[in-house]
């Protein structure tokens, strides 16, 4: 399903105040994982209070042991420090990669900003080598801007 058709669905999920924030975040994960073939694990990480670490939030996909990630460690931890999108076409080429599953070939992480502060990120793993394009980045930036309105 093309990104443009998913945007109104993301907005609708975010605006559904009958659900908790975590329920809405999970619904976004489910929407993306279901409708984008090469999104095999979709989840959110958020800053863990005032600590220099990320805590796993809602996600869909294989269970992960990485529920806490120190800033600077792995792709997610690097994004927490750099405040920049990070697209990894081939996870085996990354020295600072934290392997979640042997099936993962690529990863994309986009930060979420509230009032200019990086509060978390969306993390997507793919079992397809080099699947992410600039269109994925722009779409996921849109998703993160929508998610930011929940905080």
């Amino acid at each position: 399903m093309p990104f443009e058709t998913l945007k109104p669905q993301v907005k609708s999920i975010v605006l559904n105040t009958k659900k908790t924030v975590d329920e809405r975040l999970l619904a976004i994960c489910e929407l993306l994982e279901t409708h984008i073939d090469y999104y095999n694990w979709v989840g959110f990480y958020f800053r863990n209070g005032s600590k220099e670490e990320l805590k796993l939030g809602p996600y869909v996909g294989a269970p992960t042991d990485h529920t806490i990630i120190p800033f600077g460690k792995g792709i997610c931890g690097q994004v927490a420090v750099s405040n920049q999108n990070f697209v990894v076409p081939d996870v085996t080429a990354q020295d600072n990669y934290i392997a979640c599953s042997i099936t993962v070939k690529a990863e994309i992480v986009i930060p979420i900003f509230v009032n200019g502060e990086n509060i978390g990120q969306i993390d997507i793993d793919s079992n397809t080598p080099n699947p992410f394009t600039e269109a994925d980045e722009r779409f996921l930036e849109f998703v993160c801007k929508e998610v930011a309105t929940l905080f």
Side-chain angles (χ1 to χ4, degrees):
M1 181 177 286
F3 297 132
E4 289 307 312
T5 59
L6 290 172
K7 284 182 176 181
Q9 294 178 62
V10 170
K11 278 185 177 280
S12 174
I13 290 167
V14 168
L15 293 171
N16 183 357
T17 55
K18 291 184 176 130
K19 293 190 182 282
T20 67
V21 169
D22 277 358
E23 287 170 334
R24 288 183 264 176
L25 293 172
L26 181 60
I28 290 169
C29 293
E30 290 168 341
L31 177 75
L32 301 187
E33 193 270 338
T34 301
H35 292 290
I36 303 171
D37 291 344
Y38 53 94
Y39 286 16
N40 302 111
W41 190 97
V42 179
F44 290 96
Y45 281 93
F46 292 99
R47 184 179 188 125
N48 191 8
S50 61
K51 297 178 184 171
E52 296 281 303
E53 65 185 23
L54 296 166
K55 185 175 183 182
L56 181 62
Y59 73 94
V60 294
T64 179
D65 292 335
H66 304 116
T67 57
I68 299 289
I69 299 176
F71 280 17
K73 187 159 173 56
I75 308 307
C76 292
Q78 290 177 74
V79 169
V81 173
S82 73
N83 298 322
Q84 303 288 319
N85 296 352
F86 201 153
V87 181
V88 182
D90 175 6
V91 296
T92 63
Q94 284 295 318
D95 291 340
N96 195 6
Y97 174 69
I98 302 172
C100 291
S101 165
I102 59 166
T103 61
V104 175
K105 304 288 187 258
E107 183 174 10
I108 185 170
V109 179
I110 308 292
I112 301 166
F113 295 99
V114 174
N115 300 322
E117 183 184 348
N118 182 345
I119 63 145
Q121 53 202 223
I122 191 167
D123 177 22
I124 297 173
D125 292 342
S126 179
N127 299 339
T128 304
N130 195 18
F132 304 116
T133 66
E134 191 173 318
D136 290 279
E137 276 193 84
R138 299 299 83 82
F139 171 68
L140 293 170
E141 287 168 352
F142 164 84
V143 171
C144 288
K145 282 186 180 115
E146 291 298 314
V147 166
T149 66
L150 297 171
F151 297 93

